[in-house]
PDB file of all heavy atoms in Angstrom:
ATOM      1  N   ALA M  24     122.399 117.041  92.118  1.00 94.00           N
ATOM      2  CA  ALA M  24     123.149 117.982  91.292  1.00 94.00           C
ATOM      3  C   ALA M  24     123.125 117.609  89.816  1.00 94.00           C
ATOM      4  O   ALA M  24     123.414 118.443  88.959  1.00 94.00           O
ATOM      5  CB  ALA M  24     124.598 118.059  91.773  1.00 94.00           C
ATOM      6  N   SER M  25     122.783 116.374  89.511  1.00 95.00           N
ATOM      7  CA  SER M  25     122.825 115.916  88.123  1.00 95.00           C
ATOM      8  C   SER M  25     121.426 115.809  87.531  1.00 95.00           C
ATOM      9  O   SER M  25     120.534 115.202  88.115  1.00 95.00           O
ATOM     10  CB  SER M  25     123.512 114.553  88.037  1.00 95.00           C
ATOM     11  OG  SER M  25     123.442 114.050  86.724  1.00 95.00           O
ATOM     12  N   ASP M  26     121.254 116.389  86.333  1.00 94.00           N
ATOM     13  CA  ASP M  26     119.978 116.256  85.640  1.00 94.00           C
ATOM     14  C   ASP M  26     119.754 114.825  85.162  1.00 94.00           C
ATOM     15  O   ASP M  26     118.626 114.433  84.871  1.00 94.00           O
ATOM     16  CB  ASP M  26     119.943 117.194  84.426  1.00 94.00           C
ATOM     17  CG  ASP M  26     119.916 118.660  84.834  1.00 94.00           C
ATOM     18  OD1 ASP M  26     119.482 118.947  85.958  1.00 94.00           O
ATOM     19  OD2 ASP M  26     120.337 119.507  84.028  1.00 94.00           O
ATOM     20  N   GLY M  27     120.831 114.059  85.070  1.00 95.00           N
ATOM     21  CA  GLY M  27     120.713 112.692  84.570  1.00 95.00           C
ATOM     22  C   GLY M  27     120.354 111.672  85.627  1.00 95.00           C
ATOM     23  O   GLY M  27     120.003 110.540  85.299  1.00 95.00           O
ATOM     24  N   TYR M  28     120.452 112.036  86.915  1.00 96.00           N
ATOM     25  CA  TYR M  28     120.131 111.116  87.999  1.00 96.00           C
ATOM     26  C   TYR M  28     118.773 111.465  88.614  1.00 96.00           C
ATOM     27  O   TYR M  28     118.327 112.609  88.551  1.00 96.00           O
ATOM     28  CB  TYR M  28     121.185 111.193  89.111  1.00 96.00           C
ATOM     29  CG  TYR M  28     122.572 110.774  88.718  1.00 96.00           C
ATOM     30  CD1 TYR M  28     123.681 111.290  89.383  1.00 96.00           C
ATOM     31  CD2 TYR M  28     122.795 109.854  87.707  1.00 96.00           C
ATOM     32  CE1 TYR M  28     124.977 110.912  89.038  1.00 96.00           C
ATOM     33  CE2 TYR M  28     124.081 109.471  87.357  1.00 96.00           C
ATOM     34  CZ  TYR M  28     125.166 110.006  88.025  1.00 96.00           C
ATOM     35  OH  TYR M  28     126.436 109.628  87.688  1.00 96.00           O
ATOM     36  N   GLY M  29     118.166 110.485  89.248  1.00 96.00           N
ATOM     37  CA  GLY M  29     116.914 110.720  89.953  1.00 96.00           C
ATOM     38  C   GLY M  29     116.837 109.863  91.201  1.00 96.00           C
ATOM     39  O   GLY M  29     117.406 108.765  91.254  1.00 96.00           O
ATOM     40  N   PHE M  30     116.144 110.357  92.232  1.00 97.00           N
ATOM     41  CA  PHE M  30     115.975 109.618  93.487  1.00 97.00           C
ATOM     42  C   PHE M  30     114.559 109.823  93.999  1.00 97.00           C
ATOM     43  O   PHE M  30     114.037 110.936  93.989  1.00 97.00           O
ATOM     44  CB  PHE M  30     116.971 110.105  94.540  1.00 97.00           C
ATOM     45  CG  PHE M  30     116.650 109.649  95.944  1.00 97.00           C
ATOM     46  CD1 PHE M  30     116.825 108.325  96.314  1.00 97.00           C
ATOM     47  CD2 PHE M  30     116.151 110.547  96.879  1.00 97.00           C
ATOM     48  CE1 PHE M  30     116.521 107.903  97.607  1.00 97.00           C
ATOM     49  CE2 PHE M  30     115.850 110.131  98.177  1.00 97.00           C
ATOM     50  CZ  PHE M  30     116.035 108.807  98.539  1.00 97.00           C
ATOM     51  N   LYS M  31     113.938 108.730  94.405  1.00 96.00           N
ATOM     52  CA  LYS M  31     112.626 108.782  95.046  1.00 96.00           C
ATOM     53  C   LYS M  31     112.720 108.009  96.356  1.00 96.00           C
ATOM     54  O   LYS M  31     113.090 106.829  96.362  1.00 96.00           O
ATOM     55  CB  LYS M  31     111.544 108.193  94.136  1.00 96.00           C
ATOM     56  CG  LYS M  31     111.297 109.030  92.882  1.00 96.00           C
ATOM     57  CD  LYS M  31     110.213 108.418  92.010  1.00 96.00           C
ATOM     58  CE  LYS M  31     109.991 109.254  90.761  1.00 96.00           C
ATOM     59  NZ  LYS M  31     108.966 108.652  89.866  1.00 96.00           N
ATOM     60  N   GLY M  32     112.402 108.690  97.432  1.00 96.00           N
ATOM     61  CA  GLY M  32     112.572 108.111  98.752  1.00 96.00           C
ATOM     62  C   GLY M  32     111.453 107.171  99.163  1.00 96.00           C
ATOM     63  O   GLY M  32     110.499 106.940  98.405  1.00 96.00           O
ATOM     64  N   PRO M  33     111.555 106.617 100.369  1.00 96.00           N
ATOM     65  CA  PRO M  33     110.527 105.720 100.889  1.00 96.00           C
ATOM     66  C   PRO M  33     109.150 106.375 100.856  1.00 96.00           C
ATOM     67  O   PRO M  33     108.987 107.526 101.246  1.00 96.00           O
ATOM     68  CB  PRO M  33     110.989 105.468 102.334  1.00 96.00           C
ATOM     69  CG  PRO M  33     112.467 105.674 102.286  1.00 96.00           C
ATOM     70  CD  PRO M  33     112.680 106.787 101.304  1.00 96.00           C
ATOM     71  N   GLY M  34     108.172 105.626 100.353  1.00 92.00           N
ATOM     72  CA  GLY M  34     106.821 106.156 100.236  1.00 92.00           C
ATOM     73  C   GLY M  34     106.583 106.911  98.946  1.00 92.00           C
ATOM     74  O   GLY M  34     105.442 107.052  98.505  1.00 92.00           O
ATOM     75  N   GLU M  35     107.641 107.413  98.324  1.00 94.00           N
ATOM     76  CA  GLU M  35     107.512 108.149  97.070  1.00 94.00           C
ATOM     77  C   GLU M  35     107.697 107.227  95.868  1.00 94.00           C
ATOM     78  O   GLU M  35     107.009 107.357  94.857  1.00 94.00           O
ATOM     79  CB  GLU M  35     108.543 109.276  97.014  1.00 94.00           C
ATOM     80  CG  GLU M  35     108.446 110.146  95.771  1.00 94.00           C
ATOM     81  CD  GLU M  35     109.534 111.194  95.733  1.00 94.00           C
ATOM     82  OE1 GLU M  35     110.439 111.171  96.605  1.00 94.00           O
ATOM     83  OE2 GLU M  35     109.493 112.042  94.820  1.00 94.00           O
ATOM     84  N   TRP M  36     108.629 106.288  95.977  1.00 95.00           N
ATOM     85  CA  TRP M  36     108.893 105.357  94.876  1.00 95.00           C
ATOM     86  C   TRP M  36     107.698 104.434  94.643  1.00 95.00           C
ATOM     87  O   TRP M  36     107.300 104.181  93.510  1.00 95.00           O
ATOM     88  CB  TRP M  36     110.145 104.545  95.198  1.00 95.00           C
ATOM     89  CG  TRP M  36     110.540 103.577  94.119  1.00 95.00           C
ATOM     90  CD1 TRP M  36     110.141 102.276  93.984  1.00 95.00           C
ATOM     91  CD2 TRP M  36     111.423 103.836  93.019  1.00 95.00           C
ATOM     92  NE1 TRP M  36     110.715 101.700  92.884  1.00 95.00           N
ATOM     93  CE2 TRP M  36     111.505 102.643  92.270  1.00 95.00           C
ATOM     94  CE3 TRP M  36     112.152 104.946  92.607  1.00 95.00           C
ATOM     95  CZ2 TRP M  36     112.290 102.527  91.125  1.00 95.00           C
ATOM     96  CZ3 TRP M  36     112.945 104.834  91.472  1.00 95.00           C
ATOM     97  CH2 TRP M  36     113.000 103.645  90.744  1.00 95.00           C
ATOM     98  N   ASP M  37     107.124 103.925  95.731  1.00 94.00           N
ATOM     99  CA  ASP M  37     105.997 102.997  95.644  1.00 94.00           C
ATOM    100  C   ASP M  37     105.049 103.297  96.799  1.00 94.00           C
ATOM    101  O   ASP M  37     105.348 102.974  97.953  1.00 94.00           O
ATOM    102  CB  ASP M  37     106.511 101.557  95.700  1.00 94.00           C
ATOM    103  CG  ASP M  37     105.399 100.532  95.535  1.00 94.00           C
ATOM    104  OD1 ASP M  37     104.212 100.924  95.504  1.00 94.00           O
ATOM    105  OD2 ASP M  37     105.723  99.334  95.439  1.00 94.00           O
ATOM    106  N   ALA M  38     103.913 103.908  96.469  1.00 91.00           N
ATOM    107  CA  ALA M  38     102.961 104.319  97.506  1.00 91.00           C
ATOM    108  C   ALA M  38     102.442 103.137  98.305  1.00 91.00           C
ATOM    109  O   ALA M  38     102.060 103.279  99.476  1.00 91.00           O
ATOM    110  CB  ALA M  38     101.792 105.068  96.868  1.00 91.00           C
ATOM    111  N   SER M  39     102.428 101.946  97.697  1.00 94.00           N
ATOM    112  CA  SER M  39     101.920 100.764  98.391  1.00 94.00           C
ATOM    113  C   SER M  39     102.958 100.132  99.304  1.00 94.00           C
ATOM    114  O   SER M  39     102.652  99.253 100.099  1.00 94.00           O
ATOM    115  CB  SER M  39     101.437  99.722  97.374  1.00 94.00           C
ATOM    116  OG  SER M  39     102.517  99.237  96.597  1.00 94.00           O
ATOM    117  N   ASN M  40     104.219 100.574  99.186  1.00 95.00           N
ATOM    118  CA  ASN M  40     105.294 100.032 100.010  1.00 95.00           C
ATOM    119  C   ASN M  40     106.114 101.200 100.567  1.00 95.00           C
ATOM    120  O   ASN M  40     107.055 101.661  99.932  1.00 95.00           O
ATOM    121  CB  ASN M  40     106.184  99.096  99.198  1.00 95.00           C
ATOM    122  CG  ASN M  40     107.227  98.396 100.051  1.00 95.00           C
ATOM    123  OD1 ASN M  40     107.439  98.737 101.218  1.00 95.00           O
ATOM    124  ND2 ASN M  40     107.890  97.412  99.471  1.00 95.00           N
ATOM    125  N   PRO M  41     105.790 101.683 101.772  1.00 95.00           N
ATOM    126  CA  PRO M  41     106.450 102.866 102.331  1.00 95.00           C
ATOM    127  C   PRO M  41     107.930 102.670 102.658  1.00 95.00           C
ATOM    128  O   PRO M  41     108.630 103.641 102.955  1.00 95.00           O
ATOM    129  CB  PRO M  41     105.650 103.146 103.606  1.00 95.00           C
ATOM    130  CG  PRO M  41     105.052 101.833 103.978  1.00 95.00           C
ATOM    131  CD  PRO M  41     104.757 101.146 102.686  1.00 95.00           C
ATOM    132  N   ASP M  42     108.414 101.427 102.597  1.00 97.00           N
ATOM    133  CA  ASP M  42     109.824 101.160 102.897  1.00 97.00           C
ATOM    134  C   ASP M  42     110.697 101.119 101.634  1.00 97.00           C
ATOM    135  O   ASP M  42     111.924 101.027 101.736  1.00 97.00           O
ATOM    136  CB  ASP M  42     109.971  99.818 103.632  1.00 97.00           C
ATOM    137  CG  ASP M  42     109.340  99.849 105.018  1.00 97.00           C
ATOM    138  OD1 ASP M  42     109.324 100.935 105.626  1.00 97.00           O
ATOM    139  OD2 ASP M  42     108.863  98.796 105.469  1.00 97.00           O
ATOM    140  N   LYS M  43     110.073 101.194 100.487  1.00 97.00           N
ATOM    141  CA  LYS M  43     110.816 101.045  99.233  1.00 97.00           C
ATOM    142  C   LYS M  43     111.314 102.393  98.722  1.00 97.00           C
ATOM    143  O   LYS M  43     110.609 103.387  98.758  1.00 97.00           O
ATOM    144  CB  LYS M  43     109.918 100.394  98.175  1.00 97.00           C
ATOM    145  CG  LYS M  43     110.672  99.842  96.982  1.00 97.00           C
ATOM    146  CD  LYS M  43     109.728  99.030  96.095  1.00 97.00           C
ATOM    147  CE  LYS M  43     110.467  98.364  94.958  1.00 97.00           C
ATOM    148  NZ  LYS M  43     109.547  97.544  94.112  1.00 97.00           N
ATOM    149  N   TRP M  44     112.557 102.426  98.228  1.00 97.00           N
ATOM    150  CA  TRP M  44     113.113 103.629  97.624  1.00 97.00           C
ATOM    151  C   TRP M  44     113.931 103.228  96.391  1.00 97.00           C
ATOM    152  O   TRP M  44     114.293 102.055  96.223  1.00 97.00           O
ATOM    153  CB  TRP M  44     113.987 104.406  98.606  1.00 97.00           C
ATOM    154  CG  TRP M  44     115.187 103.666  99.123  1.00 97.00           C
ATOM    155  CD1 TRP M  44     115.253 102.869 100.240  1.00 97.00           C
ATOM    156  CD2 TRP M  44     116.499 103.640  98.546  1.00 97.00           C
ATOM    157  NE1 TRP M  44     116.509 102.348 100.392  1.00 97.00           N
ATOM    158  CE2 TRP M  44     117.314 102.804  99.368  1.00 97.00           C
ATOM    159  CE3 TRP M  44     117.090 104.237  97.434  1.00 97.00           C
ATOM    160  CZ2 TRP M  44     118.651 102.556  99.109  1.00 97.00           C
ATOM    161  CZ3 TRP M  44     118.428 103.994  97.162  1.00 97.00           C
ATOM    162  CH2 TRP M  44     119.199 103.169  97.991  1.00 97.00           C
ATOM    163  N   GLY M  45     114.217 104.194  95.506  1.00 97.00           N
ATOM    164  CA  GLY M  45     114.917 103.822  94.287  1.00 97.00           C
ATOM    165  C   GLY M  45     115.636 104.986  93.628  1.00 97.00           C
ATOM    166  O   GLY M  45     115.442 106.154  93.981  1.00 97.00           O
ATOM    167  N   VAL M  46     116.472 104.641  92.673  1.00 98.00           N
ATOM    168  CA  VAL M  46     117.228 105.631  91.902  1.00 98.00           C
ATOM    169  C   VAL M  46     117.072 105.309  90.416  1.00 98.00           C
ATOM    170  O   VAL M  46     116.682 104.193  90.039  1.00 98.00           O
ATOM    171  CB  VAL M  46     118.722 105.639  92.282  1.00 98.00           C
ATOM    172  CG1 VAL M  46     118.916 106.195  93.675  1.00 98.00           C
ATOM    173  CG2 VAL M  46     119.318 104.237  92.178  1.00 98.00           C
ATOM    174  N   GLU M  47     117.399 106.292  89.571  1.00 97.00           N
ATOM    175  CA  GLU M  47     117.247 106.117  88.132  1.00 97.00           C
ATOM    176  C   GLU M  47     118.253 106.983  87.395  1.00 97.00           C
ATOM    177  O   GLU M  47     118.807 107.939  87.957  1.00 97.00           O
ATOM    178  CB  GLU M  47     115.815 106.491  87.706  1.00 97.00           C
ATOM    179  CG  GLU M  47     115.412 107.883  88.139  1.00 97.00           C
ATOM    180  CD  GLU M  47     113.908 108.079  88.188  1.00 97.00           C
ATOM    181  OE1 GLU M  47     113.163 107.077  88.156  1.00 97.00           O
ATOM    182  OE2 GLU M  47     113.481 109.238  88.247  1.00 97.00           O
ATOM    183  N   SER M  48     118.496 106.642  86.134  1.00 97.00           N
ATOM    184  CA  SER M  48     119.420 107.413  85.318  1.00 97.00           C
ATOM    185  C   SER M  48     119.029 107.271  83.853  1.00 97.00           C
ATOM    186  O   SER M  48     118.741 106.170  83.379  1.00 97.00           O
ATOM    187  CB  SER M  48     120.859 106.918  85.511  1.00 97.00           C
ATOM    188  OG  SER M  48     121.747 107.591  84.643  1.00 97.00           O
ATOM    189  N   TYR M  49     119.013 108.414  83.134  1.00 97.00           N
ATOM    190  CA  TYR M  49     118.704 108.405  81.700  1.00 97.00           C
ATOM    191  C   TYR M  49     119.978 108.217  80.888  1.00 97.00           C
ATOM    192  O   TYR M  49     121.028 108.768  81.216  1.00 97.00           O
ATOM    193  CB  TYR M  49     118.035 109.714  81.284  1.00 97.00           C
ATOM    194  CG  TYR M  49     116.553 109.746  81.567  1.00 97.00           C
ATOM    195  CD1 TYR M  49     116.060 110.332  82.731  1.00 97.00           C
ATOM    196  CD2 TYR M  49     115.642 109.189  80.666  1.00 97.00           C
ATOM    197  CE1 TYR M  49     114.696 110.366  82.995  1.00 97.00           C
ATOM    198  CE2 TYR M  49     114.280 109.215  80.925  1.00 97.00           C
ATOM    199  CZ  TYR M  49     113.814 109.799  82.082  1.00 97.00           C
ATOM    200  OH  TYR M  49     112.468 109.830  82.337  1.00 97.00           O
ATOM    201  N   GLN M  50     119.862 107.439  79.791  1.00 97.00           N
ATOM    202  CA  GLN M  50     121.024 107.158  78.943  1.00 97.00           C
ATOM    203  C   GLN M  50     120.590 106.946  77.492  1.00 97.00           C
ATOM    204  O   GLN M  50     119.417 106.675  77.211  1.00 97.00           O
ATOM    205  CB  GLN M  50     121.735 105.891  79.427  1.00 97.00           C
ATOM    206  CG  GLN M  50     122.229 105.951  80.873  1.00 97.00           C
ATOM    207  CD  GLN M  50     122.789 104.626  81.339  1.00 97.00           C
ATOM    208  OE1 GLN M  50     123.420 103.890  80.590  1.00 97.00           O
ATOM    209  NE2 GLN M  50     122.551 104.296  82.603  1.00 97.00           N
ATOM    210  N   TRP M  51     121.576 107.089  76.588  1.00 98.00           N
ATOM    211  CA  TRP M  51     121.410 106.639  75.204  1.00 98.00           C
ATOM    212  C   TRP M  51     122.042 105.255  75.099  1.00 98.00           C
ATOM    213  O   TRP M  51     123.069 104.985  75.712  1.00 98.00           O
ATOM    214  CB  TRP M  51     122.132 107.562  74.225  1.00 98.00           C
ATOM    215  CG  TRP M  51     121.655 108.978  74.126  1.00 98.00           C
ATOM    216  CD1 TRP M  51     122.347 110.092  74.501  1.00 98.00           C
ATOM    217  CD2 TRP M  51     120.416 109.449  73.581  1.00 98.00           C
ATOM    218  NE1 TRP M  51     121.626 111.234  74.235  1.00 98.00           N
ATOM    219  CE2 TRP M  51     120.425 110.858  73.663  1.00 98.00           C
ATOM    220  CE3 TRP M  51     119.300 108.804  73.034  1.00 98.00           C
ATOM    221  CZ2 TRP M  51     119.363 111.644  73.222  1.00 98.00           C
ATOM    222  CZ3 TRP M  51     118.245 109.590  72.594  1.00 98.00           C
ATOM    223  CH2 TRP M  51     118.273 110.986  72.693  1.00 98.00           C
ATOM    224  N   TRP M  52     121.442 104.402  74.289  1.00 97.00           N
ATOM    225  CA  TRP M  52     122.072 103.115  74.005  1.00 97.00           C
ATOM    226  C   TRP M  52     122.044 102.873  72.508  1.00 97.00           C
ATOM    227  O   TRP M  52     120.982 103.002  71.893  1.00 97.00           O
ATOM    228  CB  TRP M  52     121.347 101.975  74.722  1.00 97.00           C
ATOM    229  CG  TRP M  52     122.120 100.696  74.593  1.00 97.00           C
ATOM    230  CD1 TRP M  52     123.101 100.232  75.433  1.00 97.00           C
ATOM    231  CD2 TRP M  52     122.007  99.730  73.541  1.00 97.00           C
ATOM    232  NE1 TRP M  52     123.606  99.039  74.967  1.00 97.00           N
ATOM    233  CE2 TRP M  52     122.952  98.711  73.802  1.00 97.00           C
ATOM    234  CE3 TRP M  52     121.209  99.628  72.402  1.00 97.00           C
ATOM    235  CZ2 TRP M  52     123.114  97.607  72.974  1.00 97.00           C
ATOM    236  CZ3 TRP M  52     121.378  98.543  71.561  1.00 97.00           C
ATOM    237  CH2 TRP M  52     122.307  97.543  71.852  1.00 97.00           C
ATOM    238  N   PRO M  53     123.196 102.567  71.867  1.00 97.00           N
ATOM    239  CA  PRO M  53     124.519 102.466  72.483  1.00 97.00           C
ATOM    240  C   PRO M  53     125.085 103.839  72.846  1.00 97.00           C
ATOM    241  O   PRO M  53     124.696 104.855  72.260  1.00 97.00           O
ATOM    242  CB  PRO M  53     125.361 101.809  71.382  1.00 97.00           C
ATOM    243  CG  PRO M  53     124.700 102.245  70.111  1.00 97.00           C
ATOM    244  CD  PRO M  53     123.239 102.296  70.407  1.00 97.00           C
ATOM    245  N   GLY M  54     126.008 103.845  73.787  1.00 97.00           N
ATOM    246  CA  GLY M  54     126.604 105.094  74.236  1.00 97.00           C
ATOM    247  C   GLY M  54     127.824 105.507  73.447  1.00 97.00           C
ATOM    248  O   GLY M  54     128.313 106.627  73.595  1.00 97.00           O
ATOM    249  N   SER M  55     128.345 104.594  72.605  1.00 97.00           N
ATOM    250  CA  SER M  55     129.508 104.917  71.784  1.00 97.00           C
ATOM    251  C   SER M  55     129.384 104.252  70.422  1.00 97.00           C
ATOM    252  O   SER M  55     128.918 103.114  70.315  1.00 97.00           O
ATOM    253  CB  SER M  55     130.808 104.488  72.482  1.00 97.00           C
ATOM    254  OG  SER M  55     130.805 103.089  72.707  1.00 97.00           O
ATOM    255  N   MET M  56     129.784 104.979  69.387  1.00 98.00           N
ATOM    256  CA  MET M  56     129.710 104.497  68.008  1.00 98.00           C
ATOM    257  C   MET M  56     130.973 104.939  67.279  1.00 98.00           C
ATOM    258  O   MET M  56     131.646 105.867  67.711  1.00 98.00           O
ATOM    259  CB  MET M  56     128.467 105.066  67.314  1.00 98.00           C
ATOM    260  CG  MET M  56     127.147 104.574  67.916  1.00 98.00           C
ATOM    261  SD  MET M  56     125.767 105.726  67.690  1.00 98.00           S
ATOM    262  CE  MET M  56     125.885 106.719  69.186  1.00 98.00           C
ATOM    263  N   VAL M  57     131.282 104.287  66.153  1.00 96.00           N
ATOM    264  CA  VAL M  57     132.487 104.602  65.384  1.00 96.00           C
ATOM    265  C   VAL M  57     132.118 104.766  63.916  1.00 96.00           C
ATOM    266  O   VAL M  57     131.373 103.953  63.352  1.00 96.00           O
ATOM    267  CB  VAL M  57     133.558 103.500  65.536  1.00 96.00           C
ATOM    268  CG1 VAL M  57     134.771 103.831  64.678  1.00 96.00           C
ATOM    269  CG2 VAL M  57     133.967 103.333  66.990  1.00 96.00           C
TER     270      VAL M  57
END
């Protein structure tokens, strides 16, 4: 549901390792300034 999150399942995250899966998130750094 979130454009900022991502998921790649087993076999998709790493073609050489069908058991591996992962998630990701885009951000600005720093996230707060004054």
Side-chain angles (χ1 to χ4, degrees):
S25 174
D26 292 336
Y28 296 153
F30 166 72
K31 293 180 181 178
E35 183 183 7
W36 182 270
D37 183 353
S39 65
N40 186 349
D42 294 330
K43 196 171 185 179
W44 61 270
V46 290
E47 55 201 15
S48 175
Y49 278 96
Q50 301 174 36
W51 296 113
W52 189 89
S55 60
M56 295 153 269
V57 178

